[in-house]
Amino acid sequence: MRASLVFTLLLGSAIGFAADSPLQAVFQRMDKASADFKGFTANLVKIDHSDIVDANDKSQGTIAVRRVGPHNVQVLEKIDTLNGKPDGEQLELGTRFSVYHPKENLVIDYDLNKKYRGVEEAALALLGGSSKDLLQDYKVTYGSAETVEGKAASRLVLNPIDQTLAQQFPKIEVWISDATGLAVQEKLYQKGEKDYELQTYSNVQPGNVSDDQVKMNVPKNTRHQHQKQ
């Protein structure tokens, strides 16, 4: 769940789309939502598709997102089940990107300023971010009007400007709710664009999210490992 994801009032003239274009309309909804965004909690369904074996891993759980500054978010994903079986994995994005593996009782911490830096900026841009956040790091095009969980949404196609991020995720699609201006679904394509991760959010509850809600809760005897780059 991560990546390295400038200009503000120049959107219309510098990028060249009409003020009433579908893309501009989505940007306006995003900017309105971003101005008051504090965080949200939601149910999460994640599909990891592997092309080489033509198989999907389906995990279900919850996500909590907390804005702690204009360009800083904290995120916690808790995976309750994987392919219908109890799991317990947790993924935390804060000062580091950390993954808890319950079977090994192990947390692996990754520094954000190296290989995994993009995860933070991807989260910032896609989870409560503004159009400026997106355009700072992506070439953005309008995809189509669609529905997610039976509700109207607009699909945007993002191509990373940063080459390090582009190597990890050459293309990202994000579905922005027409009602709330928040992301309700994301699809991150890996190199070659045949493997991907699809995340869908439901029962989205915007509002204040506490620090505890975005912190891992693991056993005291959990081992920690720092992943060196």
Side-chain angles (χ1 to χ4, degrees), residues 1-2 46 63-64 73-79 89-100 107-110 112 116 119-120 123 211-218 224:
M1 104 171 217
R2 23 177 0 205
K46 184 188 297 186
I63 183 172
V73 295
Q74 296 173 311
V75 182
L76 178 66
E77 290 186 6
K78 292 183 176 181
I79 305 303
E89 183 181 77
Q90 298 179 48
L91 301 93
E92 180 186 314
L93 173 62
T95 56
R96 290 180 174 178
F97 176 55
S98 302
V99 183
Y100 171 61
V107 172
I108 301 180
D109 297 311
Y110 303 89
L112 297 186
Y116 298 90
V119 176
E120 180 184 37
D211 184 63
D212 286 344
Q213 288 176 279
V214 290
K215 296 295 185 184
M216 284 185 181
N217 185 6
V218 300
H224 284 258

Side-chain angles (χ1 to χ4, degrees), residues 41-118:
T41 59
N43 296 329
L44 168 69
V45 174
K46 184 188 297 186
I47 302 293
D48 288 295
H49 175 76
S50 175
D51 180 71
I52 194 169
V53 294
D54 191 24
N56 293 325
D57 283 330
K58 181 179 181 180
S59 52
Q60 294 178 278
T62 60
I63 183 172
V65 179
R66 177 176 182 253
R67 175 180 277 176
V68 293
H71 301 286
N72 190 4
V73 295
Q74 296 173 311
V75 182
L76 178 66
E77 290 186 6
K78 292 183 176 181
I79 305 303
D80 299 323
T81 63
L82 174 61
N83 296 328
K85 299 180 180 179
D87 187 71
E89 183 181 77
Q90 298 179 48
L91 301 93
E92 180 186 314
L93 173 62
T95 56
R96 290 180 174 178
F97 176 55
S98 302
V99 183
Y100 171 61
H101 301 279
K103 292 181 180 180
E104 296 83 4
N105 197 26
L106 173 68
V107 172
I108 301 180
D109 297 311
Y110 303 89
D111 289 336
L112 297 186
N113 59 349
K114 297 180 181 178
K115 180 179 177 181
Y116 298 90
R117 173 175 170 265

Side-chain angles (χ1 to χ4, degrees), residues 127-148:
L127 301 176
S130 67
S131 60
K132 178 183 176 181
D133 294 323
L134 280 186
L135 293 169
Q136 193 167 354
D137 294 286
Y138 298 98
K139 296 177 181 178
V140 184
T141 56
Y142 180 82
S144 57
E146 300 185 9
T147 58
V148 177

Side-chain angles (χ1 to χ4, degrees), residues 180-199:
T180 68
L182 297 174
V184 290
Q185 186 167 267
E186 302 164 18
K187 191 173 185 179
L188 290 80
Y189 294 85
Q190 298 178 20
K191 189 174 181 179
E193 298 187 20
K194 292 184 178 180
D195 295 345
Y196 61 81
E197 177 183 288
L198 177 68
Q199 293 199 162

Side-chain angles (χ1 to χ4, degrees), residues 1-41:
M1 104 171 217
R2 23 177 0 205
S4 168
L5 285 154
V6 25
F7 315 109
T8 144
L9 301 176
L10 301 178
L11 291 180
S13 58
I15 299 175
F17 47 74
D20 59 350
S21 72
L23 181 59
Q24 178 64 15
V26 177
F27 282 168
Q28 290 172 348
R29 290 194 290 271
M30 288 181 62
D31 292 344
K32 182 179 179 180
S34 179
D36 299 321
F37 183 76
K38 295 181 177 64
F40 72 81
T41 59

